[in-house]
Amino acid sequence: MLMQTHEARLAALRQELKARELDGFVVPISDEHMSEYVGAYAQRLAWLTGFGGSAGSAVVLTDTSQGTGAAIFVDGRYTVQVRDQVDEKLFEYRSVPKDTIGGWLAEHAGKSARIGYDPWLHTQKWVDQVSKQTARKGAKLVPVESNPLDAVWQDRPEPSSAPALIQSDEYAGRSSAEKRSEIGEWLKAEGHDAAVISALDSIAWLLNIRGSDVDRTPVALSYLIAHDDGTAELFIAPEKVTPELTQHLGNAVTLRDRAGFPDALAGLKGKSISVDPDYGVAAIGQLLEGAGANVCFNRDPTILPKAIKNKVEQQGHRDAQARDGAAVSRFLHWLEREAPAGEIDELTAAAKLRAFREEHGDLRDLSFDTISAAGPHAALPHYRVDEDSNLTIPPGSIYLVDSGGQYPSGTTDITRTVWVGTPDGSAQPSAEMKDRYTRVLKGHIAISRAIFPQGTAGSQLDAFARQFLWAAGVDYAHGTGHGVGSFLSVHEGPQRIAKSAGGQAGTDQELFAGMILSNEPGYYKQGAFGIRIENLELVEPREVEGAEGEYLGFETLTFVPIDRKLVEKSLLTPEELQWWSDYHKRVFDILSPQLVGDDLAWLERECQPL
């Protein structure tokens, strides 16, 4: 009989831990590749706790004599969601980064406690950090050979067996052989024999393959060892290999069973092996060191070249954005017509947006779960609607929709915040709403118009977007921009536009021509409304008269009307008004050939100067 309640599942896990002589266990949202989104087979935290967010961890102790004996750790994005989904009688709520797993264990684990962890789901950096914290109490982290939670998850899904797919050079712009040759030259220059590539999007980019094994990210479950002579070994389940894939990879890529990856690592004795400290899980380093290999932790050598899109990838993004923009525009017109009646809810809106995307192009998947947020839900930057939270969009309110699609030529990500009126048109946005919306718009325009010298990092641009909100004594708690892949991850590093405080990853990364970033300042008033305006921007060389050195700027890739009903025109400068007019002229030029009838008339109206 399957365990239906989370209480029963927690009890079963504790029994399994006792049988293994473990005093506790750490359960992250993670897979063997440190992926942002994970397959159903790896959704261990959701099965155990009921939490449906994309980031978090839990710790379970066998001793429940003091409190619950378990805690769940999430960041500020999920403060509300975790309380809705996880029973506080079973798990304490802990807030990251203020609370840490190591700190909690040092406080709650017994002296000499043995705390298990799955070395395939954590980095060595995490292991070292938590071990240091628990050692103060005498507790010890213990790697497990098999995951105890898997032993009690009776109906755990199997990893996807879908075939790996080929990303043709028509979209990739460069052959896999060319990319592998460059990685081989890097390995020789650094004095390494090989690199272990475990991030799924890195493998996909390097081999020009894709897959459908993880929702929202078109990748195939696999590992790769890249050698200094440009050859590689791909570890992938045999059922995922087609004759077309074998032919595409050629003789220089050896196909091996995914299950044989640990033994292959154990066979690299005496070799110098490069492993990424952020994507290479602890088990990889432990197996290599145990085999007598020399492990060197370096950034995955595919990450920077993957982030710098070639001309073919850049054009692919433009093409995907044009199709996507037509779909989103039709959706916004539909919303303007239908929502004032008060009968459209968040789930219906999200489904309708997907339907428009499916009509307008070769949509393979969404690029993330659509944030369809009405009224107070819009004040939650990472809100995800479900059957329990689903809210009817109130007439006379703000509605925020953050969404994207995965197309073979590119990945899209766009946010629009709109005013939903009433049938008689009497309801109008408040002065506060218009002020905040226009300050967000001004920040968005400032990023779009930015010109900066080569060598500039994303953190140096972040204040461009915040300055107008800061002048009013307000701010937003998320980054301003993230990298975006080419029919890959919608959140792709290493580049970011964000505050550098706290050493956030990517904020010190120099921006290079060819990188794509989002431009998404926002404002959120808890319990009331939220605002975000997001386009994607391509870093491009920029001619500056009399410039001393090379300069860069942004080419906007996303073209969809920005809501004009929320703009306080008096707050905009002549330059910002001109940006509005120029932007919307481009919107009309790009989208009008794809729209007809009332949709085209709506587009023409929305693209007028302010």
Side-chain angles (χ1 to χ4, degrees):
M1 182 176 175
L2 299 179
M3 288 172 285
Q4 300 299 328
T5 69
H6 295 109
E7 185 175 13
R9 295 171 182 180
L10 185 58
L13 176 59
R14 284 190 165 115
Q15 285 300 115
E16 181 68 21
L17 296 178
K18 289 175 181 175
R20 298 188 185 203
E21 298 182 342
L22 292 171
D23 301 296
F25 189 67
V26 181
V27 183
I29 298 176
S30 182
D31 65 5
E32 304 89 338
H33 311 276
M34 293 286 109
S35 305
E36 178 180 13
Y37 300 109
V38 302
Y41 79 97
Q43 291 283 359
R44 297 175 178 89
L45 188 68
W47 179 83
L48 180 67
T49 69
F51 176 63
S54 63
S57 296
V59 181
V60 176
L61 300 178
T62 56
D63 181 4
T64 59
S65 61
Q66 299 180 15
T68 63
I72 185 165
F73 297 77
V74 300
D75 63 36
R77 294 174 292 172
Y78 301 110
T79 301
V80 175
Q81 184 176 340
V82 74
R83 284 162 172 76
D84 288 341
Q85 296 178 332
V86 179
D87 189 344
E88 66 179 342
K89 298 187 189 71
L90 303 178
F91 294 88
E92 296 177 25
Y93 306 131
R94 294 290 174 166
S95 178
V96 174
K98 181 173 69 73
D99 300 317
T100 65
I101 288 172
W104 189 88
L105 283 168
E107 183 181 347
H108 293 84
K111 190 175 182 181
S112 303
R114 300 176 75 250
I115 308 299
Y117 75 95
D118 188 335
W120 289 98
L121 302 180
H122 301 275
T123 65
Q124 190 61 46
K125 191 188 303 182
W126 179 91
V127 174
D128 293 343
Q129 182 181 41
V130 176
S131 293
K132 195 177 295 183
Q133 291 174 293
T134 55
R136 297 198 304 266
K137 185 70 175 282
K140 181 181 179 182
L141 277 187
V142 180
V144 296
E145 288 190 15
S146 65
N147 195 305
L149 189 144
D150 295 351
V152 298
W153 186 356
Q154 297 160 310
D155 56 343
R156 179 177 171 236
E158 291 292 324
S160 166
S161 60
L165 307 171
I166 297 163
Q167 179 77 338
S168 71
D169 290 358
E170 173 193 359
Y171 295 123
R174 296 175 65 203
S175 71
S176 172
E178 183 183 353
K179 295 175 183 178
R180 285 185 279 105
S181 176
E182 284 189 6
I183 300 305
E185 291 302 316
W186 177 86
L187 287 167
K188 288 176 184 174
E190 296 295 321
H192 303 310
D193 298 294
V196 174
I197 310 291
S198 54
L200 296 177
D201 61 334
S202 293
I203 297 169
W205 177 85
L206 184 58
L207 297 183
N208 288 346
I209 63 174
R210 298 295 188 266
S212 56
D213 293 348
V214 178
D215 287 346
R216 313 313 186 214
T217 310
V219 291
L221 291 170
S222 54
Y223 297 99
L224 188 102
I225 300 177
H227 297 282
D228 63 358
D229 60 358
T231 64
E233 298 170 77
L234 177 65
F235 298 82
I236 188 168
E239 62 268 24
K240 304 176 75 62
V241 177
T242 63
E244 293 79 11
L245 180 71
T246 303
Q247 182 179 5
H248 165 73
L249 294 174
N251 294 332
V253 179
T254 304
L255 287 162
R256 302 195 186 284
D257 193 325
R258 176 176 158 90
F261 178 63
D263 287 342
L265 295 177
L268 293 172
K269 181 178 181 179
K271 303 284 189 181
S272 176
I273 309 298
S274 181
V275 178
D276 188 293
D278 295 318
Y279 294 101
V281 294
I284 291 173
Q286 291 169 6
L287 285 165
L288 287 169
E289 288 176 354
N294 177 30
V295 181
C296 302
F297 289 103
N298 303 293
R299 176 193 274 178
D300 174 342
T302 71
I303 283 181
L304 193 57
K306 171 162 55 73
I308 299 173
K309 305 320 187 246
N310 60 52
K311 295 298 183 184
V312 171
E313 291 172 318
Q314 292 174 25
Q315 187 56 48
H317 267 275
R318 295 185 190 99
D319 296 342
Q321 298 288 347
R323 290 193 298 274
D324 200 65
V328 176
S329 295
R330 288 185 64 201
F331 166 76
L332 292 176
H333 180 211
W334 169 85
L335 188 77
E336 181 184 272
R337 290 197 317 268
E338 302 295 331
E343 297 179 357
I344 303 298
D345 60 35
E346 294 167 333
L347 283 173
T348 301
K352 188 68 174 179
L353 177 52
R354 177 164 190 154
F356 281 127
R357 280 195 165 102
E358 288 170 342
E359 291 176 25
H360 270 271
D362 190 10
L363 183 76
R364 301 300 174 87
D365 195 359
L366 302 181
S367 56
F368 56 97
D369 291 332
T370 297
I371 299 173
S372 175
H377 285 167
L380 305 172
H382 296 271
Y383 170 71
R384 188 170 73 175
V385 60
D386 58 26
E387 292 289 349
D388 293 330
S389 69
N390 188 28
L391 182 69
T392 298
I393 301 172
S397 72
I398 278 177
Y399 170 73
L400 184 153
V401 57
D402 186 349
S403 67
Q406 291 284 9
Y407 303 90
S409 65
T411 299
T412 69
D413 183 2
I414 173 175
T415 307
R416 288 295 182 265
T417 306
V418 298
W419 175 253
V420 176
T422 50
D424 63 3
S426 60
Q428 297 297 320
S430 68
E432 180 189 31
M433 290 174 175
K434 294 181 73 171
D435 177 90
R436 299 303 191 244
Y437 183 90
T438 309
R439 291 177 187 276
V440 169
L441 174 62
K442 286 168 74 70
H444 179 92
I445 294 172
I447 292 290
S448 177
R449 297 180 66 224
I451 298 173
F452 46 95
Q454 183 73 62
T456 299
S459 57
Q460 294 172 282
L461 300 181
D462 186 69
F464 285 34
R466 299 179 191 269
Q467 58 182 312
F468 307 103
L469 291 162
W470 285 350
V474 294
D475 197 4
Y476 51 95
H478 56 75
T480 299
H482 57 81
V484 177
S486 288
F487 189 36
L488 278 174
S489 175
V490 74
H491 296 138
E492 179 182 271
Q495 70 275 22
R496 291 187 70 208
I497 302 175
K499 296 177 182 178
S500 60
Q504 294 184 59
T507 53
D508 294 328
Q509 170 63 51
E510 177 183 350
L511 302 183
F512 292 101
M515 287 179 167
I516 293 174
L517 296 111
S518 65
N519 171 10
E520 50 180 312
Y523 170 75
Y524 310 93
K525 185 174 183 178
Q526 188 172 357
F529 62 89
I531 294 161
R532 188 160 64 253
I533 301 171
E534 177 186 18
N535 288 341
L536 298 188
E537 312 277 358
L538 172 67
V539 182
E540 62 174 0
R542 187 61 54 87
E543 292 293 329
V544 178
E545 187 176 349
E548 298 177 358
E550 297 182 4
Y551 274 71
L552 302 169
F554 290 116
E555 173 196 338
T556 297
L557 297 173
T558 306
F559 290 98
V560 170
I562 297 170
D563 191 81
R564 56 199 296 121
K565 294 182 286 295
L566 284 161
V567 176
E568 178 50 65
K569 183 178 175 181
S570 65
L571 292 178
L572 297 178
T573 66
E575 293 79 12
E576 290 165 343
L577 288 168
Q578 187 62 53
W579 180 94
W580 176 282
S581 297
D582 293 344
Y583 174 76
H584 283 89
K585 182 181 184 303
R586 290 277 290 141
V587 170
F588 187 78
D589 290 346
I590 290 169
L591 301 187
S592 58
Q594 303 179 69
L595 302 179
V596 297
D598 290 345
D599 288 331
L600 180 58
W602 175 88
L603 180 73
E604 186 170 15
R605 187 191 80 206
E606 292 300 302
C607 289
Q608 295 301 308
L610 282 170

